Amino acid sequence: MSITIKDEAGVAAMRTACRLASEVLDYLTPLIQPGITTLEIDRLSAAFMKQQGTVSATIGYQPSGYPPYPGHLCTSVNQVVCHGIPNDKPLKKGDIVNVDVTVIKDGWFGDNSRMYLVGGEAACSVQARRLCQVTFEAMWRGIVMVKPGARLGDIGHAIQTFAEGNGYSVVREFCGHGIGQKFHEEPQVLHYGRPGTMEELKPGMMFTIEPMINAGKRDIKEMGDGWTIVTRDRSLSAQWEHTVLVTPTGYEVLTLSAGSPTPPAFVTTTAC
Ligand code: MF3
Ligand code: CO
Ligand code: CO
């Protein structure tokens, strides 16, 4: 097995799938308020996907050793690291929630996630806001490393040094992944590592960068439902995710839309 290189038609199809995945997150932005349940978010998203002509990649998704995933998206609140299953518990002021959406359009997968501050910035603790902000910047520090000739280890190293430099830890058990006509393809994109190591990047490769950063220790545990991952020390965890294309001269972030949060100031372009 090896890393697939997408041709122009594949790139065009991925631009569409990824923009649509980002538009689901845009749609949710005003809806994520204190009192809404993650199950309501799931149902609203399912209806929105139907309208836009996409299908959820997560509902019924069953990697070997896992039960079928029951949600149209993942909702990971506070100490939940990833793969949180939508439930009937209302979100409360001051919660932080990652919503991770993967849609399929014409057989192509677009995968992205964002953090939402429930009740707005003012409702959340300084620590929670800082964790979300540092994780966002960590993702972008990884993205800007992407160009032909760079290596996956360069991306992981950029993310790890920034996150750890801010006193946080990087989850090791989950990583970014190649994506295209399959949800998860080669390569694995680790969010830690050493410069100049791992696979060399080539134009036409596509993968996600999706660091999970914990406020406390990096250790995790599974909650017993087969999916939900939490921090072992119950500290807060944050995650952001984009799907990225390697271009002849750099990168193109595919999961962008009108409502995408503005990148940090050191990012001069979203495509180069
Ligand atoms: N979207 C997640 C990722 O970034 C995978 C979720 S799988 C699910 O790779 F089954 F939990 F939805
Ligand atoms: Co992903
Ligand atoms: Co995802």
Side-chain angles (χ1 to χ4, degrees):
M1 285 309 292
S2 58
I3 303 175
T4 61
I5 301 292
K6 277 73 176 183
D7 62 14
E8 261 315 310
V11 169
M14 281 296 280
R15 283 195 184 107
T16 300
C18 289
R19 176 182 45 81
L20 290 164
S22 184
E23 285 175 358
V24 176
L25 296 177
D26 292 356
Y27 162 74
L28 291 174
T29 301
L31 302 175
I32 299 178
Q33 299 291 340
I36 195 170
T37 69
T38 49
L39 204 49
E40 283 164 347
I41 293 170
D42 183 275
R43 290 201 194 99
L44 288 163
S45 301
F48 186 81
M49 288 176 198
K50 195 165 201 164
Q51 268 185 38
Q52 65 174 184
T54 63
V55 172
S56 164
T58 59
I59 184 110
Y61 180 59
Q62 186 171 24
S64 72
Y66 283 79
Y69 186 78
H72 297 86
L73 40 65
C74 301
T75 52
S76 301
V77 181
N78 295 336
Q79 75 279 5
V80 180
V81 172
C82 64
H83 304 162
I85 296 172
N87 62 32
D88 59 6
K89 192 175 160 210
L91 293 175
K92 25 179 227 317
K93 236 171 98 171
D95 285 343
I96 58 171
V97 57
N98 173 276
V99 181
D100 191 336
V101 167
T102 311
V103 301
I104 312 171
K105 176 70 174 177
D106 299 332
W108 294 85
F109 290 70
D111 187 6
N112 67 165
S113 79
R114 297 182 197 160
M115 295 303 296
Y116 297 85
L117 305 175
V118 180
E121 299 247 334
C124 294
S125 69
V126 173
Q127 298 94 303
R129 272 150 49 192
R130 183 172 171 273
L131 176 66
C132 294
Q133 194 53 49
V134 167
T135 306
F136 182 63
E137 184 164 341
M139 172 187 68
W140 278 104
R141 291 205 178 227
I143 290 171
V144 298
M145 300 307 293
V146 173
K147 64 175 179 198
R151 289 178 178 269
L152 288 172
D154 300 336
I155 299 172
H157 180 76
I159 292 169
Q160 180 181 16
T161 51
F162 184 70
E164 292 179 354
N166 278 281
Y168 297 143
S169 63
V170 178
V171 172
R172 306 284 177 107
E173 291 82 351
F174 299 93
C175 55
H177 49 92
I179 186 166
Q181 288 175 297
K182 290 196 218 122
F183 194 168
H184 295 105
E185 308 183 345
E186 286 187 43
Q188 295 194 46
V189 181
L190 305 183
H191 302 115
Y192 60 93
R194 284 176 295 118
T197 66
M198 316 291 280
E199 193 79 36
E200 184 179 324
L201 306 185
K202 300 207 161 54
M205 289 181 179
M206 276 179 200
F207 47 81
T208 69
I209 297 178
E210 48 178 306
M212 283 144 273
I213 306 296
N214 297 346
K217 296 203 170 81
R218 69 175 174 86
D219 309 76
I220 58 167
K221 66 178 186 190
E222 193 268 310
M223 284 298 280
D225 59 15
W227 280 105
T228 308
I229 304 296
V230 298
T231 55
R232 187 165 278 282
D233 63 9
R234 297 295 171 134
S235 64
L236 291 176
S237 187
Q239 179 177 26
W240 292 81
E241 176 176 26
H242 272 310
T243 299
V244 177
L245 165 71
V246 185
T247 66
T249 48
Y251 59 85
E252 178 178 334
V253 180
L254 299 176
T255 37
L256 291 172
S257 55
S260 296
T262 308
F266 69 86
V267 179
T268 52
T269 181
T270 59
C272 54

